[in-house]
Amino acid sequence: MKFTGLSRSVEDYLKAVYTLNERGEAAGTSQLARVLDVQPASVSGMIRRLAEDGLLEHEPYRGVRLTRAGSREALKVLRRHRIIESYLVQHLGFGWDDVHEEAERLEHAASDALVDRMAEAMGHPTNDPHGAPIPTRGGDIDPTAYPGLDEVATGSRITVRSVSDQDPARLRYFESVGLVPGAEAVVNESESDGDHVTLTVKGGRGPLTLTADVARRVTVIEA
Ligand SMILES: [Zn+2]
């Protein structure tokens, strides 16, 4: 079966399942409804359709996960999204806080050929402006599950690997305190109850205290 011209909503579903699976979260009806901001009833219908098309399969107690075909399609959308974000920042002067919504629209419209040309013009970047890995044209992606900043122990030395691209205000905050991909920091205090994380960013303002909800939007590499 060859999948060509998947609709925008199908692409968004596959991307949402991929993102939830990647974070180790269950991809059930309620989680998908939340991520996609749609009614649970419409999620059930779409899940049935995508399962019939062989793009995802049910996983007992954890909702759904992508089949190999579904994963391939999700990675294509992610590749388009992340290359478009990179191109807007590198070549068109957009700020990293100002590209996600553009990419959400363009990822469904840009052809793979256009996106390949954009990647070539940038020398085939491996990560987008927020640090997220860019799948290759062949569908390979860094499979490492990096921990969230809310998961590392007190005293850890870390390097920021990526930050969530979802919220422009939060991205501006991260930039203002130097919490950007590649930044090094020491975790001064990480509460066992998971309430907040205090850290000192090398060369940045600090120490900073982040709520656990903000901290988990940052993935890190532990030294
Ligand atoms: Zn984005």
Side-chain angles (χ1 to χ4, degrees), residues 153-192:
T154 298
S156 300
R157 291 179 175 278
I158 57 100
T159 302
V160 175
R161 178 249 189 182
S162 71
V163 298
S164 167
D165 62 358
Q166 297 288 320
D167 182 339
R170 193 167 54 217
L171 282 167
R172 287 191 288 275
Y173 169 73
F174 284 151
E175 187 163 33
S176 75
V177 295
L179 211 54
V180 298
E184 294 171 35
V186 176
V187 177
N188 307 115
E189 190 190 358
S190 183
E191 288 208 331
S192 53

Side-chain angles (χ1 to χ4, degrees), residues 3-7 11:
F3 302 101
T4 49
L6 295 179
S7 74
E11 291 182 338

Side-chain angles (χ1 to χ4, degrees), residues 15 81-82 85 96 99-101 103-104 107 128 130 164-166:
K15 200 172 60 162
H81 185 101
R82 291 174 180 174
E85 288 191 339
W96 79 333
V99 292
H100 178 70
E101 285 305 318
E104 285 286 279
E107 70 186 17
D128 77 9
H130 313 106
S164 167
D165 62 358
Q166 297 288 320

Side-chain angles (χ1 to χ4, degrees), residues 26-204:
T29 306
S30 58
Q31 289 88 356
L32 285 166
R34 174 174 50 79
V35 171
L36 293 160
D37 196 20
V38 295
Q39 293 300 318
S42 60
V43 173
S44 306
M46 182 63 106
I47 283 177
R48 202 174 314 119
R49 197 184 127 193
L50 294 176
E52 282 166 12
D53 286 347
L55 293 169
L56 50 79
E57 57 198 10
H58 293 274
E59 198 176 26
Y61 312 109
R62 292 189 60 81
V64 294
R65 66 188 171 98
L66 297 172
T67 61
R68 191 193 279 265
S71 185
R72 200 160 49 228
E73 296 302 323
L75 287 167
K76 277 190 201 173
V77 184
L78 276 181
R79 173 175 166 80
R80 295 201 296 269
H81 185 101
R82 291 174 180 174
I83 285 176
I84 289 163
E85 288 191 339
S86 304
Y87 193 88
L88 293 175
V89 168
Q90 286 191 33
H91 284 275
L92 301 180
F94 281 74
W96 79 333
D97 57 322
D98 202 22
V99 292
H100 178 70
E101 285 305 318
E102 291 287 356
E104 285 286 279
R105 288 189 289 273
L106 293 171
E107 70 186 17
H108 305 292
S111 68
D112 290 334
L114 171 61
V115 166
D116 288 343
R117 293 283 283 269
M118 288 173 159
E120 199 180 335
M122 294 184 289
H124 300 285
T126 55
N127 295 80
D128 77 9
H130 313 106
I134 298 175
T136 65
R137 200 173 163 204
D140 293 318
I141 189 167
D142 178 1
T144 315
Y146 295 94
L149 182 53
D150 60 323
E151 296 174 81
V152 297
T154 298
S156 300
R157 291 179 175 278
I158 57 100
T159 302
V160 175
R161 178 249 189 182
S162 71
V163 298
S164 167
D165 62 358
Q166 297 288 320
D167 182 339
R170 193 167 54 217
L171 282 167
R172 287 191 288 275
Y173 169 73
F174 284 151
E175 187 163 33
S176 75
V177 295
L179 211 54
V180 298
E184 294 171 35
V186 176
V187 177
N188 307 115
E189 190 190 358
S190 183
E191 288 208 331
S192 53
D193 66 5
D195 190 40
H196 68 265
V197 176
T198 302
L199 73 162
T200 305
V201 182
K202 194 173 170 183

